[in-house]
Amino acid sequence: LPKTMRGKSAMMLRWALLVAITTANAFQISNPMANGAPSRRASAGCGTGAGSARMTLVDDVEVDLNSLKKNRKILQTIAKKNGIAANLKTEEMVRRLRIKAEEPDAIKDDSKAKKADTSDAAPKKKATSSQKHSFNTLLVHGAGKTSDKLGSVNMPIYQTSTFRFESAEEGAKCFAGESDGYIYSRIQNPTVKELEEAVAVLEHGFGGIATATGMGAVNVLYMSLLGAGKHVVCHKTVYGPSRSLLENTMVKNFGVEASFVDTCDLEVVKASIQPNTALVYLESPANPTVSISDITEICKLAHAVGAVVCVDNTFCSPYLQNPLTLGADVVIHSLTKSINGHADVVGGMIVTKDQDMYKKLRPMMVTLGASMDANQAFLVRRGMKTLGLRMEAAQKNAIKVADFLEAHPKVAWVRYPGLKSHPQHKLSKKMMKGPGAMISFGVKGGLSAGRKLLNSVELCVLAVSLGGVETLIQHPASMTHAKLTPEARLQGDVTDDLVRMSVGIEDADEIIDDLEQALGRV
């Protein structure tokens, strides 16, 4: 506008332009990136990538969606011309127009589109181009949904407990679920949200729910799906606290029924599932025995009675296995392990296959206060960018270490999916993209021999946890699974001679040399 135009005259001219635009037959939202044209879309802020999308007309005129919120009639006209129902709430019409501006084919039949439920910051389910990228590219760039308004390459740490509303009306809309704005970091935080989206896309899931620890994720799952009179089938060999929580808390305090069985045997699983079975909980490979279950076939059995199947995918990470694509409903991770990979932060993640399960689990995370801190999310997001590179290096080392152990005269047995001697070697190739970096083995001489080995290593680190860049070695019966009764440990094949090893990315020859000198002292 000329500088001489001020006040009401300028305002009238702007509205006249908007009215003229909306009455044009040519008004259609087009993707400004189509045909290689550079985007002029403004940065989104801390919301979705299209948070302040501008609609581009065929004559290259742009209209800011946010400016249309104040004039519902014009907004309704624009919505109708783009195949979107005009009787929706203002925020919902704008949201769908944003999706249309980002991806013109995302909304084809508005009569079938469901009204978004943004309670507890549920992610918007829309088509994305992220799955077109390779795994390592997704690791680096994430899902591309949430971005920083200042254009930071890495999502900043939003170190705040609460978020300022633009107005009282905006605050009311946030709490009513009519806006996807941020409220309080226990509910949602931009740094955490970007991590949730990044992990969810790697697992081919609907949405992620980050938790303060891996056990936070397990607690959210149990508390959401189990209760008095409900039954759970659990693999007999899982992470110690995951089983202990079921046995000592859910069964004794909440009336849950639990069966701990060998899920590697499908006939046993079939016989264990009951009409009141609500959950089948798996670890595959299992901790610490590295046994493998047929996720696909177990899902068929569980779904026949309406049970939910959850797989703890910590040993594999999304790099080697995607349980949701194998039929599971939920996947959980201890982010502390391979995904972060640097032994400097704890965290957990739940990823659901669909929106219904997401909406069932996320409110429980918020209510329990199991939310992840922004600092945790930042560290995990930084660490996971090298997941593919680290897993490849560790896996190559593990193959060499497993071969060495299997040939050593002081080693009684070795369990590693990459070895033909593993009971589920063929199944591992069906379930997993690689054998991974976790090995369990037994030392001849039992507990005393195992302790001698652990006290003799020099390069390998005597510590619990797994999936880091460093090689870790530990004794499950006296450490991670110590809270289980001796009977429960034996039933889960956690024998006194079992040693668990998480192979790192050091030089493989040096790892082997360290094991050789330590075994020489046994």
Side-chain angles (χ1 to χ4, degrees), residues 288 290 405 413 415 439-443 446-447 449-451 453-454 462 472-477 495-502 515:
V290 202
L405 289 171
W413 55 268
R415 291 289 180 269
I439 303 172
S440 66
F441 62 97
V443 182
L447 179 59
R451 283 179 175 170
L453 169 71
L454 296 179
L462 177 56
L472 302 177
I473 192 167
Q474 65 114 338
H475 181 245
T495 54
D496 285 345
D497 67 335
L498 189 155
V499 174
R500 193 191 74 182
M501 191 172 189
S502 171
L515 289 172

Side-chain angles (χ1 to χ4, degrees), residues 355-375:
Q355 185 179 27
D356 289 342
M357 184 59 65
Y358 179 93
K359 290 166 65 177
K360 182 177 292 186
L361 299 182
R362 187 169 190 93
M364 181 60 71
M365 182 279 292
V366 174
T367 301
L368 288 178
S371 52
M372 175 178 281
D373 174 75
N375 284 279

